Amino acid sequence: MRVLGVDPGLTRCGVGVVEGTAGRPLKMIGVGVVRTAADADIAERLLLIERGLEEWLDEHRPDVVAIERVFSQHNVATVMGTAQASAVAMLCAARRGLPVALHTPSEVKAAVTGSGRADKAQVGAMVARLLRLAAPPKPADAADALALAICHIWRAPAQDRLRQAAALQTRLQKGSVR
Amino acid sequence: MRVLGVDPGLTRCGVGVVEGTAGRPLKMIGVGVVRTAADADIAERLLLIERGLEEWLDEHRPDVVAIERVFSQHNVATVMGTAQASAVAMLCAARRGLPVALHTPSEVKAAVTGSGRADKAQVGAMVARLLRLAAPPKPADAADALALAICHIWRAPAQDRLRQAAALQTRLQKGSVR
């Protein structure tokens, strides 16, 4: 499974591509940041993010796109931009028929460090270790994007089982399965 | 000037096209709502909104797109979806090289009713009167989209003058104009 992780943001949108399956060593395919100027028009910034993400999708052809789930309880000034950047990422994936998975920051931290309250340095260190990199990727947004991809690879089997269980339950309730 | 007004929302995204210039009678060209199912996937909903807006842009070829400016102090549960729907609208406009204008709800209300705190019924009534419609457009999201377009047509001349003044000031400060 090849996953494009996206840490959405207007100024720095982290992107990272990881290949692997749960229980096997992971491989980093690429990592980077799509940047837009803070003084640019918001519409223009969203367009630049779209173009940047399209390039990553074209080049790396992921099977799924994992995006950080945005919460509104964070800093009110930045959360709107984060929500808008994440909308662009979801749209780019959906347009290609790629599945979109959302993971919360604490799910991502817990997946790669064992603690949902790990700090940036800890996440960066574990990303470097898991992907066998010489140093944590910089900036933190790039490391976070890789962490999202790793989190998805590890959580996907459990999420699939949950989805299958939920689908079975629905069918049982409707009486289509006995 | 032909303006596409967009009242962004995931469940109901209001769209309205108005043609006119400040000080002259306005003409409604079209009005409607792009709907998506509340139980659908968020990525899928954003894709449907994009497709719906693309159809409106293709059919009506506006000169500018006026979108409601989203504030984060509103209902936290709905504001994220509104921000994401507005990102899609901005992206569709920017991709075509169309200017995007953002107006706050109170600017829109003040423009069409004279009061920034007018209620939905008042906005609907004034939209109907200004566009010579038999009744206020339903649902309110459709009427709000038309109000946004009207607001833009009326505010655009003043906004242009402000932009020109700001540009002149910048040039004066840089010493490129004496």
Side-chain angles (χ1 to χ4, degrees):
Chain A
M1 173 159 61
R2 182 175 277 202
V3 181
L4 170 66
V6 179
D7 182 29
L10 287 181
T11 305
R12 287 183 306 275
C13 185
V15 279
V17 184
V18 178
E19 209 173 66
T21 42
R24 304 283 295 276
L26 302 163
K27 189 181 170 194
M28 184 180 84
I29 306 296
V31 64
V33 173
V34 177
R35 293 172 194 270
T36 75
D39 61 352
D41 206 63
I42 167 78
E44 194 58 34
R45 298 180 80 179
L46 295 172
L47 185 61
L48 289 172
I49 291 169
E50 178 183 55
R51 285 191 191 149
L53 293 176
E54 287 290 341
E55 281 174 23
W56 277 83
L57 289 163
D58 281 340
E59 188 173 340
H60 296 292
R61 306 262 158 212
D63 303 306
V64 49
V65 179
I67 307 171
E68 188 178 295
R69 189 186 290 277
V70 185
F71 280 110
S72 37
Q73 51 265 43
H74 292 329
N75 180 347
V76 153
T78 59
V79 79
M80 305 294 294
T82 310
Q84 294 177 322
S86 81
V88 174
M90 287 192 263
L91 197 57
C92 289
R95 223 188 273 133
R96 290 171 186 243
L98 293 177
V100 170
L102 302 175
H103 301 284
T104 67
S106 50
E107 284 167 352
V108 174
K109 289 174 190 171
V112 300
T113 74
S115 162
R117 287 179 296 172
D119 63 15
K120 293 268 172 206
Q122 214 180 330
V123 171
M126 281 308 295
V127 164
R129 187 168 309 163
L130 294 165
L131 298 175
R132 295 171 306 284
L133 311 175
K138 293 276 164 80
D141 315 76
D144 285 348
L146 290 171
L148 264 156
I150 296 170
C151 169
H152 183 75
I153 290 169
W154 287 350
R155 283 172 56 95
Q159 286 189 329
D160 282 349
R161 281 195 296 275
L162 279 174
R163 242 193 312 272
Q164 282 165 12
L168 178 63
Q169 191 175 34
T170 307
R171 275 149 58 211
L172 283 168
Q173 279 163 355
K174 286 182 181 163
S176 58
V177 177
R178 272 156 240 268
Chain B
M1 174 160 58
R2 181 176 278 202
V3 181
L4 170 65
V6 179
D7 183 30
L10 287 181
T11 306
R12 286 182 306 275
C13 185
V15 278
V17 184
V18 179
E19 210 172 64
T21 42
R24 305 282 296 275
L26 302 163
K27 190 180 169 193
M28 183 180 86
I29 306 294
V31 65
V33 173
V34 177
R35 294 171 194 271
T36 75
D39 61 352
D41 206 60
I42 167 76
E44 194 57 37
R45 297 179 81 180
L46 295 173
L47 185 62
L48 290 172
I49 290 170
E50 179 183 55
R51 285 192 190 148
L53 293 177
E54 287 290 342
E55 281 176 22
W56 278 83
L57 289 164
D58 281 341
E59 187 173 341
H60 297 293
R61 306 265 158 205
D63 304 305
V64 48
V65 179
I67 307 171
E68 188 178 294
R69 189 185 289 279
V70 185
F71 282 110
S72 37
Q73 50 265 45
H74 292 328
N75 180 349
V76 154
T78 59
V79 80
M80 304 296 293
T82 310
Q84 294 176 322
S86 81
V88 174
M90 286 192 263
L91 197 57
C92 290
R95 225 188 273 132
R96 290 171 186 243
L98 293 177
V100 170
L102 302 175
H103 302 283
T104 66
S106 49
E107 284 167 352
V108 174
K109 289 175 189 169
V112 302
T113 74
S115 163
R117 287 180 296 173
D119 63 14
K120 292 268 172 207
Q122 216 180 327
V123 170
M126 281 308 296
V127 164
R129 187 168 309 164
L130 294 166
L131 299 175
R132 295 170 307 283
L133 311 174
K138 294 274 162 85
D141 315 78
D144 285 347
L146 291 171
L148 264 155
I150 296 170
C151 169
H152 184 75
I153 290 170
W154 287 350
R155 283 172 57 95
Q159 286 189 328
D160 282 348
R161 280 195 297 276
L162 280 175
R163 241 193 311 271
Q164 283 165 12
L168 179 62
Q169 193 176 32
T170 306
R171 274 149 59 212
L172 283 169
Q173 280 164 353
K174 286 183 183 162
S176 58
V177 176
R178 273 154 239 269

